[in-house]
Amino acid sequence: MSGIVRHDSRGLSRPLIIIAVFCALLWQGNVFAGTSDWMPKIKAALDKLDATNLDEDWHFKMEVLEEDKLQIIRSDPRRDTYEKRQLLSVNGIAPDSQQLDKFYDAEVKRIDDIDPEASDYRYMVDTETIDLLEVTDMYTVFSFVPRLKMLENSREQLSGTLRLNSATQQIEEIEIINTGELSPAFSVTLDTFRLGLSFDAEQGENLLQKLESHTVGRMGFLKSFDALVIVDFSDYARAQP
């Protein structure tokens, strides 16, 4: 009959179904547009982080907590490349020669392993994969697919979030977690991977304040590990030109 409006099984009339689909498509389009609008701000914020080289431009202190060991490290940009960071104490005691040698060897490896093409924040935060998640008066949160050199073959098992301060338009936090099992090396499996980076305004710049790394996994078939490392950065002072 002409006076009857047909309904689908959920009780929606056909005109309402069309309107609902149209609104859904319109909403998706607005989300995409919102992400595009934020892109220049994200890139500018990442560029500001990358413009600063902590080892070359700043004096600073690091407190590195790993299991039951607390190391105090002081970085001086005036020193030679492998000696900029100096180990001052381990659990409140001056380091012995063995600890100093081990620290130096670790610094040599850290610096020699730096890949200038894959070590900045713009590399780690693939802006081509940025998607808007949340907007508030205080912050804006985005998701992205991370790029990490050590896990370059496992991008599909990684997920990242970036939090932008709504007032300053500067990055406050970057977090990367795994969404599946990772295999960074032969016979090494990671069940849990988390990397958290926190930033804050410091003398007109946006500098790293805290780094947290948590990995849980196993080596081979027998040896398992649960490693949590927390690094606090403080006492920043600009290097004199």
Side-chain angles (χ1 to χ4, degrees), residues 135-154:
V135 180
T136 73
D137 292 338
M138 300 294 293
Y139 56 81
T140 308
V141 180
F142 304 86
S143 67
F144 65 94
V145 179
R147 283 186 300 211
L148 297 175
K149 185 178 180 182
M150 61 177 284
L151 297 170
E152 58 186 5
N153 296 322
S154 303

Side-chain angles (χ1 to χ4, degrees), residues 7 52 64 96-97 100 102 114 122 151 163 172 182 185 204:
H7 292 70
T52 297
V64 182
D96 57 32
S97 58
L100 289 173
K102 184 177 179 180
I114 293 175
R122 278 291 292 269
L151 297 170
R163 190 171 80 183
E172 290 184 334
L182 305 175

Side-chain angles (χ1 to χ4, degrees), residues 71-86:
Q71 297 182 92
I72 304 299
I73 299 165
R74 178 74 66 178
S75 184
D76 185 342
R78 298 169 300 182
R79 296 194 187 103
D80 292 337
T81 300
Y82 297 124
E83 298 180 347
K84 294 184 186 299
R85 297 185 182 184
Q86 296 286 305

Side-chain angles (χ1 to χ4, degrees), residues 148-172:
L148 297 175
K149 185 178 180 182
M150 61 177 284
L151 297 170
E152 58 186 5
N153 296 322
S154 303
R155 292 191 68 192
E156 64 276 10
Q157 278 84 44
L158 294 173
S159 176
T161 54
L162 180 151
R163 190 171 80 183
L164 203 67
N165 183 292
S166 297
T168 65
Q169 304 297 300
Q170 298 303 311
I171 294 170
E172 290 184 334

